[in-house]
Amino acid sequence: MDRGNEDEARAASSPVFSSRLMNAPSGVNHALPVEQGSLHATGLSRAALKRHYMSERGTAQVQETRHGLWLALVVYLLFGVADAMLIPDVSAATITGRFAVAILSLIFMEIVVAARAPSKWSDLVCAVTVVVAYLGWLIPAIPTNDFDTFRFYMYFGTIFMMSANLFFNLFFRLSVATSAAILIIFFTSLAFVPPLEPNQLMVHVLFYLSCFAFTSYVNWKLNQERFNVFLNALEAAHQHDEAEKRGLALERLSNTDYLTGVENRRAVDKRLRDYWNDWQTEAKAFAAILVDVDFFKKYNDFYGHQAGDRCLILVASVLNETLKPLNASVGRYGGEEFIVLSRVTGRDQVMALGEIIRSAVEGLHLVHDQRRDGQAFVTVSVGASYTRPQSGPKLERIINEADRALYSAKANGRNCIRLFNPNDPLTSDDNENIAATLRMAIKNDLVHLVYQPIQNLKTGRVEAVESLMRMKMIDGTPLSPAQFIPVAERTGAILDLGLWAIRRACTEVLATGVAPMASVNVSAIQLKSRGFALAVSTILEETGVSGSQLAFEITEGIDMEGQSDVIRCITDLQALGIRIWLDDFGTGFAGLSWLRLFPFDTVKIDRSFLQDARRPAGRAMLEDIIRLIRNRGLKILIEGLETADHVELMHELGIELGQGYFLGRPVPIDEVRIKPFPRLASVGGR
Ligand code: C2E
Ligand code: CA
Ligand code: CA
């Protein structure tokens, strides 16, 4: 066995090293080239193995040898007692020799330990000690007069052989050399003792020789065995490591989004639960930020799915790169929606993170010229929410809040950030219930329409009815549109409800000829939604109603400047013959620019102006507004006529169209009675 094998064998025999191999496979593998296949098969470099072993065994091996030496020397000194009893005439000299050897040997060993010398030096000290210890006893003992006893006592020399081969954990060659030295010394010493009978001599020589052969053989076997154990341990460690690596790879795979490489929904959900637990137990706040790629469907449709995938990959990686240094995680939450989770300290930090996300994606300058909203690059809308002391005991809630914020970001023109506002009264628990009810409202017959007449004040004819939505909760509690319409807009339920209302007005009023014309209130969100005009034309076709019988009332609550989507939609609707009315004129912030932007047919002046008209300044204001609209050549309808005085005022101002409780309250379809009125009349009570 060469020196390398000896090292390996010794490595295996070192409990410290073997257990490290078994328990800490990563430590082994960083140092050793054992990536593939079995150790035997790869023929692991002996030199590498040796280097690694030498660095690993170091102090542990030295300490083990040191303790063995201490123990051996104690036994060696105790044998001084045997000297005194068996060969008393020379025992003073042998005992002195024993002490001298023990002290010197310990001094050397301690020097080796203190110098942190490699283990080969402690091994050498041991080997030399064994030889010197034998000499240290033999030389002073030879002159004894009690030769008979000494002759038998000499057999103990084989103990030294055994310690070299079996007791100390020396290299095979060193231990064999040491026991060979003992053998030679023994043979030499025979020349200095009184001659033995030839038979006796033969017994001595044979005993020593067979002892040498036997212990060397056992030593060799032992070393081989240790080597195998070592190899097995290495291999086991290697396999353990491989299995662990496979396990890790599998886990990574199961937590990674296949397309973008960021965390997938599964991983996100787990992280969310962890964050939530930390929030519940340690009050560690965190933010959930939803990031949605604007007009992604358009991008996909126009540039193709491959480009769409590439877009998502680029967005994911820019988010990952930007947010990783900030300790925020990125996951894919759905098609083109990502979620960012991060521990935060408060509102400002969440907003700052949102802005980082928004500008990082904008900074990609990924061309997207299909969006028709004045922007030419891919952008994202960002909705965020974060844990607050009053955020309630549910994890889903925070995601729900972020979702609502995202919705609001989208509704407000996209490429912007919205933070969920807990002080917004529209986000109370009641609204959660409303949102849930809205989802099943149509199916469960919880909604219906009421109709309010719109009258020509000059002829007294009802020229149209405005359809107004009514909804009740499951327990029958009625809700006003002021309560449920904003929730429907926020959750997107308005899209289905809005189409339902149009269809219902067509079938109930227009297809049956109950009124010549009907107006339906339409939210800006509906106008922004894809395919709205197409859905309306389908309804017209299916109900057999002409577009010219229908008017859509649009409120000016939202800034739609630059919303080319909406302009296009309105143009499409007008092409179907549908009139577009501007509702609640004067209450929004963009009234005048709206008049400039859209070719409205009729403008409905908000009832607040009518109430103010009692005062001269209010009346002047109303007159100004009327003049402004007339100058643009648009028809005027005044809402909220509650008294005969109001109607009188309309005559004075020359207003043709009016609507209000005085003329008729909103009523269900079966209460709508439309007859020509001589001048002023009601169509019934509410
Ligand atoms: P709006 O479009 O301005 O509708 C007129 C509101 O004023 C109605 O309230 C109507 O009942 C009320 N009103 C009518 N005449 C008078 C009057 O003489 N005096 C007073 N004080 N009020 C009068 P309603 O039905 O509660 O609707 C409130 C708002 O809800 C509507 O305002 C409209 O913006 C929205 N809305 C109603 N139905 C729908 C719908 O189907 N779709 C959409 N998107 N919004 C709707
Ligand atoms: Ca209206
Ligand atoms: Ca109105």
Side-chain angles (χ1 to χ4, degrees):
M1 186 185 288
D2 66 11
R3 178 63 184 258
N5 279 5
E6 289 165 14
D7 282 348
E8 287 153 12
R10 287 162 53 79
S13 71
S14 156
V16 178
F17 186 53
S18 327
S19 69
R20 276 199 50 158
L21 282 172
M22 299 302 286
N23 298 334
S26 54
V28 172
N29 282 291
H30 289 316
L32 293 174
V34 288
E35 274 78 28
Q36 287 165 356
S38 88
L39 287 161
H40 300 296
T42 53
L44 179 69
S45 142
R46 301 247 181 259
L49 190 57
K50 195 164 104 184
R51 267 200 308 281
H52 178 66
Y53 167 57
M54 290 314 263
S55 71
E56 281 291 323
R57 68 196 289 260
T59 42
Q61 177 63 28
V62 172
Q63 287 298 342
E64 211 179 294
T65 313
R66 178 197 189 195
H67 294 145
L69 187 68
W70 273 83
L71 186 65
L73 288 173
V74 167
V75 175
Y76 179 65
L77 289 176
L78 282 176
F79 262 88
V81 179
D83 289 354
M85 284 159 56
L86 301 172
I87 43 175
D89 55 335
V90 292
S91 64
T94 57
I95 290 169
T96 311
R98 283 178 192 271
F99 271 97
V101 169
I103 290 166
L104 277 174
S105 160
L106 287 181
I107 288 173
F108 278 117
M109 181 53 92
E110 291 311 306
I111 289 173
V112 166
V113 172
R116 296 174 179 275
S119 54
K120 63 181 177 191
W121 289 104
S122 60
D123 289 355
L124 205 62
V125 169
C126 264
V128 172
T129 299
V130 170
V131 176
V132 173
Y134 183 47
L135 284 171
W137 167 78
L138 188 67
I139 294 170
I142 286 177
T144 183
N145 294 322
D146 199 347
F147 180 65
D148 274 347
T149 311
F150 178 63
R151 225 174 27 198
F152 292 105
Y153 201 9
M154 275 175 88
Y155 290 128
F156 276 87
T158 54
I159 296 276
F160 291 92
M161 264 186 209
M162 288 181 208
S163 48
N165 266 330
L166 308 176
F167 181 74
F168 290 112
N169 194 6
L170 307 181
F171 304 141
F172 180 67
R173 263 194 287 179
L174 186 61
S175 48
V176 170
T178 308
S179 43
I182 304 284
L183 192 67
I184 292 164
I185 293 168
F186 167 72
F187 286 146
T188 314
S189 72
L190 292 178
F192 297 94
V193 297
L196 296 162
E197 294 286 316
N199 281 353
Q200 289 175 337
L201 183 66
M202 214 168 109
V203 170
H204 269 71
V205 169
L206 268 180
F207 180 66
Y208 258 82
L209 273 176
S210 44
C211 222
F212 172 74
F214 174 73
T215 57
S216 297
Y217 173 73
V218 174
N219 184 355
W220 177 71
K221 284 294 283 180
L222 216 61
N223 271 324
Q224 211 169 39
E225 198 53 40
R226 285 167 180 163
F227 179 58
N228 286 338
V229 170
F230 169 70
L231 282 189
N232 288 343
L234 255 192
E235 194 153 331
H238 171 64
Q239 276 170 8
H240 180 266
D241 184 59
E242 285 288 298
E244 198 147 283
K245 267 194 215 155
R246 268 198 303 277
L248 281 176
L250 215 67
E251 182 163 330
R252 228 182 354 257
L253 207 69
S254 69
N255 284 327
T256 305
D257 176 57
Y258 68 96
L259 177 68
T260 60
V262 295
E263 291 186 347
N264 61 13
R265 183 72 187 248
R266 191 182 116 101
V268 168
D269 284 346
K270 179 175 181 318
R271 194 181 283 275
L272 255 175
R273 277 195 303 276
D274 291 349
Y275 274 20
W276 183 256
N277 287 342
D278 288 353
W279 161 247
Q280 296 277 294
T281 54
E282 299 165 43
K284 279 193 194 163
F286 73 94
I289 305 173
L290 292 175
V291 182
D292 195 277
V293 180
D294 296 327
F295 301 105
F296 181 71
K297 221 175 136 27
K298 273 203 173 98
Y299 188 93
N300 230 1
D301 290 348
F302 185 76
Y303 295 102
H305 285 281
Q306 261 181 341
D309 286 355
R310 204 176 73 90
C311 167
L312 291 179
I313 293 169
L314 286 173
V315 169
S317 56
V318 79
L319 291 182
N320 214 16
E321 278 162 30
T322 319
L323 296 169
K324 224 176 201 153
L326 305 174
N327 262 337
S329 69
V330 182
R332 186 158 169 223
Y333 210 53
E336 72 265 33
E337 193 169 304
F338 295 92
I339 183 168
V340 174
L341 298 175
S342 174
R343 300 212 186 275
V344 289
T345 48
R347 185 183 193 284
D348 291 350
Q349 209 189 343
V350 183
M351 285 305 282
L353 260 177
E355 177 51 29
I356 289 170
I357 290 166
R358 193 203 62 77
S359 55
V361 176
E362 196 179 46
L364 281 173
H365 290 301
L366 263 178
V367 174
H368 184 350
D369 50 17
Q370 292 300 304
R371 40 192 296 168
R372 293 179 211 275
D373 67 341
Q375 306 233 32
F377 297 110
V378 168
T379 58
V380 286
S381 298
V382 180
S385 177
Y386 63 102
T387 43
R388 304 166 307 277
Q390 66 276 22
S391 62
K394 266 171 100 182
L395 166 60
E396 295 74 32
R397 181 157 187 148
I398 194 158
I399 295 295
N400 190 268
E401 290 173 357
D403 204 37
R404 286 193 232 169
L406 175 65
Y407 188 79
S408 144
K410 291 218 160 268
N412 280 281
R414 299 179 165 95
N415 191 21
C416 63
I417 304 136
R418 286 288 179 274
L419 185 60
F420 173 76
N421 179 6
N423 299 320
D424 185 345
L426 287 168
T427 56
S428 66
D429 275 341
D430 286 351
N431 288 291
E432 293 282 284
N433 288 338
I434 293 174
T437 311
L438 278 169
R439 280 195 287 275
M440 49 187 218
I442 298 176
K443 224 173 153 190
N444 290 273
D445 237 358
L446 299 173
V447 276
H448 70 278
L449 293 183
V450 291
Y451 303 93
Q452 186 177 29
I454 294 167
Q455 199 171 325
N456 184 317
L457 301 172
K458 286 190 178 141
T459 62
R461 259 174 58 91
V462 172
E463 299 213 333
V465 289
E466 178 180 5
S467 64
L468 295 157
M469 210 182 282
R470 295 289 175 265
M471 183 175 125
K472 56 180 192 242
M473 299 297 275
I474 298 197
D475 63 3
T477 320
L479 288 176
S480 82
Q483 287 171 294
F484 69 83
I485 293 288
V487 179
E489 289 179 338
R490 201 176 290 261
T491 58
I494 194 72
L495 297 180
D496 284 347
L497 273 180
L499 287 176
W500 170 87
I502 295 165
R503 181 181 293 272
R504 184 53 73 95
C506 285
T507 49
E508 279 186 342
V509 178
L510 302 177
T512 51
V514 169
M517 192 173 178
S519 74
V520 181
N521 292 284
V522 169
S523 293
I525 286 142
Q526 291 173 267
L527 297 175
K528 285 185 198 176
S529 71
R530 285 167 54 85
F532 177 68
L534 187 69
V536 173
S537 80
T538 310
I539 291 172
L540 291 178
E541 209 169 296
E542 286 174 7
T543 54
V545 167
S546 151
S548 59
Q549 291 179 275
L550 206 55
F552 285 169
E553 297 190 13
I554 303 169
T555 2
E556 46 168 335
I558 198 165
D559 180 8
M560 302 236 273
E561 222 166 329
Q563 304 272 354
S564 51
D565 270 8
V566 176
I567 299 175
R568 222 162 42 134
C569 179
I570 288 179
T571 316
D572 289 350
L573 292 171
Q574 284 177 325
L576 294 172
I578 298 170
R579 322 273 168 86
I580 307 295
W581 296 358
L582 179 57
D583 200 357
D584 299 343
F585 183 75
T587 56
F589 54 88
L592 293 178
S593 53
W594 270 66
L595 277 188
R596 185 166 50 82
L597 272 173
F598 297 119
F600 290 105
D601 175 80
T602 300
V603 176
K604 292 180 82 170
I605 296 177
D606 191 69
R607 67 170 171 269
S608 54
F609 291 98
L610 196 57
Q611 262 117 47
D612 279 359
R614 274 177 303 210
R615 294 178 293 115
R619 179 169 171 150
M621 174 83 155
L622 181 61
E623 286 174 9
D624 283 347
I625 290 176
I626 291 168
R627 206 170 307 121
L628 176 90
I629 301 168
R630 278 197 181 129
N631 281 344
R632 292 202 63 82
L634 310 177
K635 279 194 263 177
I636 296 174
L637 193 168
I638 301 220
E639 299 184 278
L641 302 179
E642 293 183 345
T643 60
D645 287 350
H646 284 156
V647 178
E648 195 51 49
L649 177 64
M650 294 304 104
H651 285 295
E652 279 172 35
L653 294 172
I655 299 293
E656 269 193 14
L657 292 170
Q659 179 183 359
Y661 291 166
F662 186 76
L663 304 175
R665 288 180 174 262
V667 290
I669 185 66
D670 43 358
E671 291 174 35
V672 178
R673 309 267 180 272
I674 295 179
K675 302 179 220 94
F677 297 94
R679 189 162 176 252
L680 302 172
S682 158
V683 285
R686 191 185 261 246

